[in-house]
Amino acid sequence: MEMKFIEDPRVKVSRRLWAISWIFYSAFLAFLMGLSYTMGTEPYIWGLPRWVAIGNIVVPVVFVIALIFVAEKLIPDLPLTDEEERGKGGKE
Amino acid sequence: MNWATVSFIIYTLILLAIGIWSYRIVERVPIAKYEEEFYAAGRGLGGVVVALLIAGGLASAGTFVAGPGMCYAYGYSWVFINNMQTFINLMFLAPIGLMVGMVARRVNAGTYLDMFKARYQNKAIIVILAILVTVFLLPYMATQFVGAARVISQMTGIGYFGALALGSLVVLVYCVLGGMRGTSIAILVQGIVMTVGCIILFIGTVHYAGGFQKSSEILAGLDITLLSPTMGGVFSAPFSFSIACLIGYFVIGMPHAMLGALTYKNTRALKRGIWMGGIFVFLWTFLLCMSGTIGRSINPGLAVADEAGPWLAMHVMPGALGGIVLAGIVAGIQTTVAAMAIIIASSIAKNLFKELKPDVSDRGLKSASRWTMGGCIAVAIGLALQQPSLIQWIILFAIGGLEAATFGPILLGFLWKRGNQWGAIASICWGMIIYALGSTVLPQLQVGGMHQSFVAIVSSVIVYVIVSMATAKPSDEIVQTFWGARTQA
């Protein structure tokens, strides 16, 4: 009799992380490129062209800070070995 | 002997000490566990080291030497393009890091190609990838040595060959003696030196230039396109987007980044590796690139743009601080070389050698690992003696080639159960052929001004899917190993 395949719950988490990372990076690129191409040079901000100050300083800093929260909140603490996984009942 | 030389020699001596110390650690490990210790540092690395391992491995001479150079030549447009690499750790670890960590422990995989072996169970894939990794990474490594030697030579006054020896032999020592363990200890020191060096260079450059406002006005007077996001149309949006794909979406295809995924201790280290990597890469990239552009307002007459970083370190700050910047730039290059050396050595000594001689003993493998590692670095040093001039193009070519060969088989191999060995072989071959054509006789494949790797990578993914669907499913054993829940025996 053929055994029914049971997917490891960590696989689902992994697929979700892939989707989160691609969405996060796409949002970053959209802001980085969108603002850099549309802000223009003047008036200068902090002595730098406006698109540099906003697109190349503010946007990356905001996204780097956001990444800390995304990584810490959206990535669950999971066991990596099957022994630990069985020990916790295979739950996320 | 100037201050830069003294600082750099102190840094080099610290790395040599780390090499000897890690050798003693590795030698204490039982022979049966040696392989896991030498190639994966016992799978026990924490978040900071994982962050530095991936970030430092991927941010190479292209960031630390060519970065400020390109920004010197092309102004703020290249700062904008380089900023796209900020999230390389996220883009590598989040999609496949968890799966690699889980499966590597199931199948006891210690190397990059061990993962392919477990997923596709096909000797041809191992042999083809071992050859491709070596062919692309060796010249890539050589360009790193060239970049390091030029920086050391310029800042210390030592001749090119002496500088090449100084920058490369220390990597040979700590990689061959300590393997991944030596690299992981060294990278902590190098990470600190790299970050401090970048901060010092940026502060010194901005201060010397008289602030942002003054430098912007000088740059506008020199060439107004230096203040444009496209360099006055030189870098189109499609070109910038294709570079973003290379250093963002497709970065999974970079073999040496796999070291971080194979060696992290737990998911806490994975998370920290992701966000700390974002901080490190942003700091290195932004500070160096801004220094390069602002540096042009200080000295617009440099004959070779790649000399911008070392020139600034020598002229805008006191000698000892310049030495720290020198060490930081060279450290950034050495971390890349170390990661590449481990990947090539593991591919040849562990995977290729074992495929050809399955009955090799643990002791024989230990010896082969060290000799192969030493041999690879020696070959790269030999190639660096040729002093190629166009480092940045060789780097981009190697990145494109590696990603064209491996992006589909890695990403879909981990995320899609239906993908199989035939899809992987077809994808690798297709990617290589299209990349070769796009780089030579069919420049039309650079659609809309995009880098030639873009079409090769995207089409190779499509080929992977089509061929996998048209051929037999992977075995139940593979599906169970990669995606199945392990129930109590």
Side-chain angles (χ1 to χ4, degrees):
Chain A
M1 197 175 73
E2 199 174 315
M3 289 269 288
K4 192 184 171 218
F5 173 76
I6 302 168
E7 191 173 79
D8 192 307
R10 291 170 291 183
V11 173
K12 193 177 162 191
V13 177
S14 187
R15 289 201 188 99
R16 198 175 70 207
L17 292 182
W18 169 60
I20 289 169
S21 63
W22 278 48
I23 291 167
F24 184 92
Y25 188 66
S26 300
F28 168 67
L29 277 188
F31 275 97
L32 180 70
M33 296 182 82
L35 290 173
S36 296
Y37 286 136
T38 57
M39 293 293 286
T41 303
E42 291 180 341
Y44 285 6
I45 297 176
W46 309 317
L48 292 165
R50 193 160 73 139
W51 73 270
V52 175
I54 303 295
N56 286 276
I57 298 178
V58 175
V59 169
V61 167
V62 167
F63 272 83
V64 165
I65 293 168
L67 181 62
I68 298 171
F69 292 100
V70 167
E72 290 292 339
K73 299 290 177 195
L74 297 183
I75 303 176
D77 283 322
L78 291 170
L80 292 170
T81 61
D82 293 315
E83 291 74 26
E84 291 171 284
E85 175 68 9
R86 278 198 295 267
K88 68 182 273 293
K91 290 174 188 163
E92 269 182 42
Chain B
M1 190 178 286
N2 62 28
W3 274 106
T5 311
V6 173
S7 305
F8 188 71
I9 286 174
I10 292 170
Y11 160 78
T12 302
L13 289 175
I14 292 170
L15 288 189
L16 285 174
I18 288 170
I20 294 163
W21 180 37
S22 53
Y23 173 73
R24 294 170 72 172
I25 295 173
V26 172
E27 283 301 297
R28 280 202 296 267
V29 172
I31 191 79
K33 285 266 179 191
Y34 174 83
E35 198 182 290
E36 188 179 79
E37 181 66 25
F38 192 79
Y39 288 125
R43 259 192 264 283
L45 300 186
V48 183
V49 180
V50 170
L52 287 168
L53 201 56
I54 298 178
L58 291 176
S60 63
T63 297
F64 289 89
V65 178
M70 295 292 270
C71 294
Y72 178 92
Y74 300 117
Y76 287 119
S77 62
W78 205 263
V79 180
F80 161 65
I81 290 172
N82 255 12
N83 261 341
M84 292 171 175
Q85 71 175 359
T86 300
F87 298 107
I88 44 179
N89 281 40
L90 169 77
M91 297 307 286
F92 188 88
L93 281 177
I96 62 166
L98 186 59
M99 288 288 287
V100 172
M102 187 178 89
V103 176
R105 283 164 175 83
R106 280 185 175 176
V107 301
N108 196 27
T111 71
Y112 171 67
L113 290 184
D114 280 349
M115 299 302 297
F116 279 94
K117 192 177 174 186
R119 176 64 180 86
Y120 295 113
Q121 298 187 347
N122 184 302
K123 274 189 183 182
I125 292 178
I126 302 305
V127 174
I128 292 169
L129 284 180
I131 292 168
L132 285 178
V133 163
T134 308
V135 164
F136 281 111
L137 282 188
L138 273 179
Y140 195 160
M141 269 172 78
T143 62
Q144 307 301 305
F145 284 136
V146 172
R150 283 182 183 156
V151 173
I152 296 168
S153 176
Q154 198 184 356
M155 291 191 64
T156 62
I158 300 171
Y160 177 81
F161 297 111
L164 180 63
L166 194 58
S168 58
L169 291 180
V170 67
V171 184
L172 187 74
V173 170
Y174 75 75
C175 278
V176 173
L177 292 183
M180 192 60 220
R181 178 62 66 192
T183 302
S184 65
I185 300 170
I187 211 163
L188 272 176
V189 175
Q190 290 166 321
I192 294 167
V193 174
M194 284 148 69
T195 308
V196 171
C198 291
I199 293 169
I200 290 173
L201 183 68
F202 177 71
I203 293 172
T205 303
V206 174
H207 182 260
Y208 196 91
F212 290 138
Q213 182 75 38
K214 192 175 169 195
S215 84
S216 294
E217 286 163 5
I218 294 171
L219 289 171
L222 287 170
D223 179 356
I224 193 66
T225 62
L226 292 170
L227 304 184
S228 148
T230 61
M231 185 70 193
V234 172
F235 302 118
S236 65
F239 174 80
S240 300
F241 179 72
S242 66
I243 296 294
C245 290
L246 266 186
I247 55 184
Y249 297 114
F250 302 154
V251 81
I252 288 169
M254 295 295 281
H256 47 299
M258 187 65 89
L259 288 176
L262 284 167
T263 54
Y264 73 87
K265 186 166 54 180
N266 50 32
T267 44
R268 194 174 294 272
L270 176 83
K271 286 192 265 194
R272 290 184 179 166
I274 287 173
W275 65 258
M276 284 183 185
I279 296 173
F280 284 127
V281 177
F282 174 66
L283 284 175
W284 301 336
T285 308
F286 175 76
L287 297 175
L288 284 172
C289 287
M290 289 294 284
S291 301
T293 301
I294 295 166
R296 181 140 176 189
S297 69
I298 298 171
N299 177 6
L302 283 180
V304 180
D306 278 355
E307 292 176 357
W311 187 91
L312 289 168
M314 283 163 57
H315 290 88
V316 305
M317 59 187 66
L321 291 180
I324 295 172
V325 174
L326 163 67
I329 293 172
V330 175
I333 295 169
Q334 287 171 331
T335 53
T336 304
V337 171
M340 289 175 175
I342 288 170
I343 285 294
I344 300 176
S346 67
S347 300
I348 296 174
K350 166 80 174 20
N351 296 105
L352 196 57
F353 188 46
K354 231 175 173 176
E355 287 296 333
L356 301 174
K357 200 179 174 195
D359 57 341
V360 61
S361 67
D362 287 338
R363 196 161 292 282
L365 205 59
K366 178 179 177 179
S367 179
S369 296
R370 283 207 166 115
W371 278 106
T372 310
M373 179 94 74
C376 289
I377 297 176
V379 169
I381 294 171
L383 290 173
L385 293 173
Q386 310 298 316
Q387 302 192 50
S389 55
L390 298 167
I391 291 180
Q392 185 64 24
W393 298 120
I394 296 173
I395 291 171
L396 279 176
F397 182 77
I399 291 173
L402 289 165
E403 292 183 354
T406 61
F407 175 73
I410 292 179
L411 183 70
L412 295 179
F414 280 107
L415 296 177
W416 190 42
K417 285 197 274 288
R418 187 64 182 77
N420 65 18
Q421 55 184 320
W422 308 114
I425 291 175
S427 173
I428 294 167
C429 296
W430 177 270
M432 283 295 86
I433 291 167
I434 296 299
Y435 188 59
L437 290 174
S439 305
T440 52
V441 295
L442 268 181
Q444 297 89 330
L445 290 172
Q446 298 168 26
V447 182
M450 287 185 169
H451 191 264
Q452 62 266 31
S453 62
F454 185 83
V455 170
I457 294 168
V458 172
S459 61
S460 71
V461 170
I462 297 167
V463 166
Y464 181 98
V465 172
I466 292 170
V467 175
S468 292
M469 293 297 286
T471 48
K473 288 179 182 176
S475 69
D476 289 345
E477 181 202 342
I478 291 174
V479 173
Q480 190 62 38
T481 301
F482 275 74
W483 297 279
R486 293 282 167 99
T487 50
Q488 194 80 47

